[in-house]
Amino acid sequence: MTAADRVRRTAEADALCQAAYASCEGPDTGTALVAVGGYGRGELAPWSDLDVVLVSNDDVRPGELAERIWYPLWDSGSKVDHSVRTHSEVLAAAEGDLRVALGMLDLRHLAGDPNLTLRLRTTMLAHWRRQARERLPELHRMVRSRHELIGELAHVSVPDLKEAEGGLRDATALKALVATWLVDVPHVALESSRLALLDVRDHVHDLAGRATDRVAPELWDELAVRLEVPDARAAQVHVREIGRRITHLSRLTWRRVEHVLATPAGRRGPRRPPMVPVAEGVALSNGEVVLDRGARPADDPLLLLRATAAAAENDAVLAPATAARLAREAAPLPDPWPAEARRLLVRLLAAGPGLLGTWETLEETGALDLLLPEWERIRLLPHASPIHRFTVDRHVVETCVEAAALIREVSRPDVLMVAALLHDIGKGSLTEHSVAGEPIARVVAVRMGFEPEAVDLVATLVRWHLLLAETATTRDPDDPATIEAVVSRIGTAEALDLLTVLSEADARAASPKAWSAWRAGLVKDLARRARAALGAGHRLPPVTHEHVDLPPEVRAGGTSIVVDPTGDGARVSVLAPDRVGLLADLAATFALERVGVRAARAWSQDGCGISVWEVADDHVQAALLRNRLDAIVEGRVDPAARLAPRDAGGLPPAVEVRPEASEQATVIEVRASDRPGVVHLVCAALARLDLAVRSAHVATLGPQAVDVFYVQEPAAGALTDGRAAEAAHAVRAALTAGQP
């Protein structure tokens, strides 16, 4: 079953239609028989219908021809989808029904008046191009609706070669988009994929002995023989790769269509599209993330991660040409990865829905091999369980998307996101996949540069990611042995919190049935009981600090700022007379100077406020920081207006009072999206309540800031319950857009 077979079938059908037209003495002028749709494109499968239209000029009535021409076709045993219309009626039908308009874009002359066919084809194309801006939104809605109903060819358990996302109907829609002249599609990639999928459909028709576009499970073995691949798994990979490629081209093209439609018709843009920097070496141009001018992939091993994180977080297209160039030219990441590389990967994984398109581009361009060569183990691997909607690789990405919505519930979002990425990495092995996956996950986590404790956490989560779901649904929660089965394997409350969230994300990504209200209740009840047995809460950072020799200028009431480069950033030490609001002013200083803070510690000693800030900028200058701080303290700069929270979007901040964490102070834990000004907003809110921050531990883990503040009344130690609640409310309001 090849393109030559389709040419032969089309020629035979053409001859049949021409003979029928001649046998009925069809006229040579004023009337024509045309093929439309798949038949018009010459893509007849063994059991395809013949889509034909008898067209006439408006002043011609085909009379008996319209009644008699179909009989010879029916008598031949062919299935015919036919209609009779005048030239004007064809245009009206296309105006009223988008499906008719799309079918008419592929009309081809069969018999009768060729000039009428040419005029009709020319008119249909002209109308399509003229009305494209009005019709494409409707086409996009129709395409999305079909995708939601059928699913993706690359990932559904029983793929539909025509209707699924990435199927033949999408390939046809892409050709229609090209016909508008508004956008272009990589022609070679689209055409080769479309022809390969047509070959598969021909085999499926022939094997099934009927017209069907769905590949039933029992067909894969025979299809493997037809496709000359080793086995059913290889046949699935072959077909799903084609679907994934068409899906990738379709999503990319529709994003470009959206960009075109957002630009008013007739407005000419600049000859060279503007480039808006979004990260070092990375810019946004025409809605796509590209390399900034002057970027040198061979000298910057982090450039690929910065580009992917920027694309996913901005829900923008990672330009395929950019990804392909990075795949070829990017400097390899060191082993182990630097902390910044790990942070960028976590930001990518935690970007939410924006991750999906970016990840697909990484796969299609081969750039993913630079970051995670182990991905090949699960690429397009079908799930054995019918409860899963996707193949293993897509399920893993969906798990990351689900986990991203839950990161406020854990103290180590970096561990959560990497565990979500690796939780099924052992699938396809002969042994139990969680057992096989644990050592693989451990190797990957070490390569990514996690500290030993975090490596153990990732490995534990991968090994036991099914523990809560399986135990909750098969064991008696009132039996102490049930709780012991969980506690003995997980070990800490922090690991249990991570496992609880991973269990939910894994189930939600599988299918709605996998996380029903009943199942969710069982899992969360088991987790609550296990947490009580382990002791509530995760570990907080210690409150001990090193003693610092205060320089004379600080003892005299001055301020000292010292910058020490660290290779991939700098450590900034600030000593100043302690006061309420000092930490807020320092945090504002860094934010207004656009210096990214990775971590910070602050404490008091002998009436002096001491803080150490780990920053991403290795060119930060102490003099500039001092000038900015002086301007804030003297009231010449108001940081409140410039660092106000953005409009509400994404996850809300989580603010929790931890009464068990300290006897001398009230501990407030804040988890919020990492962005400039978070520490300032928190500390300023506390300062407005005349509360002193006696110790602070600020950390950035992927996309989330996890900050812990030890708060006291200026002269009275820990806060009362009422004051603690007031402080938590003030912090929450300060971090939430639209609130004072």
Side-chain angles (χ1 to χ4, degrees), residues 479-536:
D479 187 341
T482 300
I483 306 304
E484 177 60 23
V486 175
V487 169
S488 63
R489 290 168 171 83
I490 302 307
T492 67
E494 181 180 41
L496 180 62
D497 288 345
L498 288 162
L499 182 62
T500 304
V501 169
L502 178 58
S503 299
E504 179 175 347
D506 186 17
R508 288 184 180 277
S511 70
K513 293 180 181 178
W515 194 248
S516 63
W518 167 77
R519 187 180 293 269
L522 291 178
V523 169
K524 291 184 177 181
D525 179 62
L526 176 61
R528 178 184 58 79
R529 293 168 184 256
R531 191 174 293 108
L534 286 167

Side-chain angles (χ1 to χ4, degrees), residues 169-512:
R169 201 174 288 282
D170 273 358
T172 302
L174 288 176
K175 291 171 69 71
L177 294 180
V178 172
T180 65
W181 291 352
L182 294 177
V183 292
D184 200 4
V185 178
H187 175 76
V188 174
L190 174 61
E191 195 60 13
S192 62
S193 299
R194 193 176 67 85
L195 293 176
L197 202 55
L198 286 170
D199 289 344
V200 175
R201 186 180 67 167
D202 288 355
H203 289 305
V204 170
H205 272 218
D206 195 45
L207 290 170
R210 58 189 176 88
T212 179
D213 297 310
R214 291 167 62 84
V215 187
E218 63 270 15
L219 292 181
W220 287 114
D221 285 317
E222 294 180 89
L223 195 55
V225 176
R226 295 289 190 95
L227 295 173
E228 299 180 350
V229 296
D231 51 30
R233 164 75 198 284
Q236 288 211 43
V237 169
H238 173 78
V239 173
R240 295 180 188 280
E241 277 185 330
I242 298 170
R244 189 183 67 184
R245 192 165 300 115
I246 294 176
T247 295
H248 176 68
L249 292 172
S250 178
R251 290 176 176 168
L252 173 66
T253 305
W254 277 113
R255 292 295 293 264
R256 289 172 173 171
V257 168
E258 291 173 352
H259 182 78
V260 170
L261 295 182
T263 304
R267 177 182 294 179
R268 283 191 170 185
R271 186 169 296 179
R272 174 179 284 183
M275 298 178 68
V276 180
V278 291
E280 183 182 350
V282 179
L284 195 62
S285 177
N286 279 348
E288 298 187 19
V289 169
V290 299
L291 296 185
D292 209 346
R293 299 181 184 94
R296 299 173 60 87
D299 298 333
D300 188 351
L302 300 186
L303 192 54
L304 174 60
L305 281 167
R306 277 201 299 276
T308 54
E313 289 183 325
N314 288 280
D315 195 18
V317 171
L318 175 60
T322 294
R325 180 186 171 190
L326 289 169
R328 294 190 310 269
E329 302 177 14
L333 283 162
D335 187 355
W337 290 11
E340 181 66 8
R342 190 168 61 254
R343 186 183 72 86
L344 289 167
L345 174 70
V346 175
R347 295 190 79 101
L348 166 66
L349 297 177
L355 169 66
L356 180 58
T358 302
W359 197 264
E360 286 178 348
T361 301
L362 290 176
E363 287 194 89
E364 281 297 306
T365 58
L368 186 56
D369 294 341
L370 302 180
L371 305 178
L372 189 64
E374 293 81 2
W375 189 257
E376 184 63 26
R377 299 175 57 93
I378 60 172
R379 186 176 62 87
L380 296 173
L381 178 66
H383 260 116
S385 169
I387 200 170
H388 282 276
R389 332 174 249 181
F390 302 117
T391 52
V392 176
D393 55 346
R394 175 61 183 276
H395 166 75
V396 166
V397 177
E398 292 287 343
T399 301
C400 291
V401 173
E402 296 288 350
L406 302 170
I407 60 172
R408 293 289 186 271
E409 300 180 24
V410 299
S411 61
R412 288 298 302 263
D414 54 342
V415 169
L416 171 66
M417 298 314 304
V418 171
L421 177 68
L422 300 175
H423 78 282
D424 275 350
I425 199 68
K427 286 207 167 169
S429 305
L430 297 178
T431 56
E432 164 61 37
H433 77 275
S434 60
V435 176
E438 179 185 6
I440 301 171
R442 188 177 293 276
V443 169
V444 174
V446 169
R447 186 174 72 235
M448 290 179 176
F450 280 101
E451 72 276 16
E453 184 179 358
V455 171
D456 290 340
L457 265 178
V458 170
T460 297
L461 293 173
V462 171
R463 172 64 183 89
W464 298 111
H465 70 272
L466 298 175
L467 178 65
L468 289 181
E470 291 181 346
T471 304
T473 55
T474 61
R475 300 280 292 275
D476 180 3
D478 293 320
D479 187 341
T482 300
I483 306 304
E484 177 60 23
V486 175
V487 169
S488 63
R489 290 168 171 83
I490 302 307
T492 67
E494 181 180 41
L496 180 62
D497 288 345
L498 288 162
L499 182 62
T500 304
V501 169
L502 178 58
S503 299
E504 179 175 347
D506 186 17
R508 288 184 180 277
S511 70

Side-chain angles (χ1 to χ4, degrees), residues 59-77:
D59 58 352
V60 174
R61 293 293 177 263
E64 291 185 0
L65 176 63
E67 299 176 3
R68 292 188 290 116
I69 190 173
W70 314 122
Y71 288 100
L73 300 179
W74 292 331
D75 291 343
S76 72

Side-chain angles (χ1 to χ4, degrees), residues 76-87:
S76 72
S78 301
K79 293 182 64 177
V80 183
D81 186 353
H82 62 84
S83 60
V84 179
R85 291 191 172 107
T86 65
H87 186 279

Side-chain angles (χ1 to χ4, degrees), residues 24-188:
C24 297
E25 299 180 348
D28 294 332
T29 58
T31 303
L33 186 64
V34 299
V36 298
Y39 182 26
R41 293 188 297 275
E43 295 171 357
L44 290 178
W47 292 85
S48 290
D49 295 351
L50 302 183
D51 294 333
V52 292
V53 181
L54 185 64
V55 185
S56 62
N57 285 328
D58 291 351
D59 58 352
V60 174
R61 293 293 177 263
E64 291 185 0
L65 176 63
E67 299 176 3
R68 292 188 290 116
I69 190 173
W70 314 122
Y71 288 100
L73 300 179
W74 292 331
D75 291 343
S76 72
S78 301
K79 293 182 64 177
V80 183
D81 186 353
H82 62 84
S83 60
V84 179
R85 291 191 172 107
T86 65
H87 186 279
S88 297
E89 288 172 343
V90 171
L91 296 181
E95 290 276 359
D97 190 333
L98 186 57
R99 291 175 177 82
V100 173
L102 293 173
M104 286 295 173
L105 292 177
D106 296 307
L107 70 86
R108 182 170 56 85
H109 182 71
L110 293 175
D113 187 348
N115 292 321
L116 173 59
T117 302
L118 178 61
R119 182 160 56 90
L120 181 60
R121 178 176 176 79
T122 303
T123 302
M124 293 305 306
L125 281 170
H127 275 241
W128 178 246
R129 288 166 183 154
R130 186 164 56 249
Q131 299 174 354
R133 286 180 171 271
E134 291 72 36
R135 307 215 74 172
L136 289 187
E138 180 188 355
L139 176 58
H140 200 186
R141 287 192 297 271
M142 190 167 71
V143 167
R144 288 198 301 262
S145 177
R146 173 167 50 79
H147 293 170
E148 292 169 4
L149 179 64
I150 307 297
E152 291 183 47
L153 173 57
H155 301 291
V156 293
S157 57
V158 181
D160 188 312
L161 302 175
K162 183 176 182 180
E163 301 293 344
E165 184 173 8
L168 291 168
R169 201 174 288 282
D170 273 358
T172 302
L174 288 176
K175 291 171 69 71
L177 294 180
V178 172
T180 65
W181 291 352
L182 294 177
V183 292
D184 200 4
V185 178
H187 175 76
V188 174

Side-chain angles (χ1 to χ4, degrees), residues 551-570:
E553 66 267 26
V554 174
R555 294 184 181 278
T559 297
S560 169
I561 300 178
V562 177
V563 177
D564 296 309
T566 59
D568 63 344

Side-chain angles (χ1 to χ4, degrees), residues 491-666:
T492 67
E494 181 180 41
L496 180 62
D497 288 345
L498 288 162
L499 182 62
T500 304
V501 169
L502 178 58
S503 299
E504 179 175 347
D506 186 17
R508 288 184 180 277
S511 70
K513 293 180 181 178
W515 194 248
S516 63
W518 167 77
R519 187 180 293 269
L522 291 178
V523 169
K524 291 184 177 181
D525 179 62
L526 176 61
R528 178 184 58 79
R529 293 168 184 256
R531 191 174 293 108
L534 286 167
H538 57 265
R539 294 175 300 117
L540 289 174
V543 295
T544 57
H545 300 289
E546 65 268 26
H547 182 83
V548 176
D549 292 330
L550 301 180
E553 66 267 26
V554 174
R555 294 184 181 278
T559 297
S560 169
I561 300 178
V562 177
V563 177
D564 296 309
T566 59
D568 63 344
R571 180 177 296 110
V572 182
S573 302
V574 182
L575 289 76
D578 200 10
R579 58 180 171 82
V580 172
L582 172 61
L583 203 59
D585 291 344
L586 289 172
T589 297
F590 287 106
L592 293 179
E593 286 295 318
R594 299 186 180 278
V595 175
V597 176
R598 294 171 175 166
R601 295 176 296 120
W603 67 97
S604 295
Q605 175 189 311
D606 302 331
C608 177
I610 303 172
S611 58
V612 178
W613 307 76
E614 305 289 343
V615 301
D617 188 348
D618 57 358
H619 300 296
V620 63
Q621 298 181 32
L624 293 178
L625 294 177
R626 182 187 294 277
N627 291 338
R628 178 70 73 175
L629 177 61
D630 289 344
I632 292 172
V633 172
E634 295 167 7
R636 290 183 281 115
V637 172
D638 179 14
R642 297 173 63 176
L643 298 178
R646 304 166 186 158
D647 54 7
L651 301 177
V655 181
E656 182 180 358
V657 177
R658 303 289 297 279
E660 81 287 352
S662 175
E663 295 180 358
Q664 290 79 34
T666 296

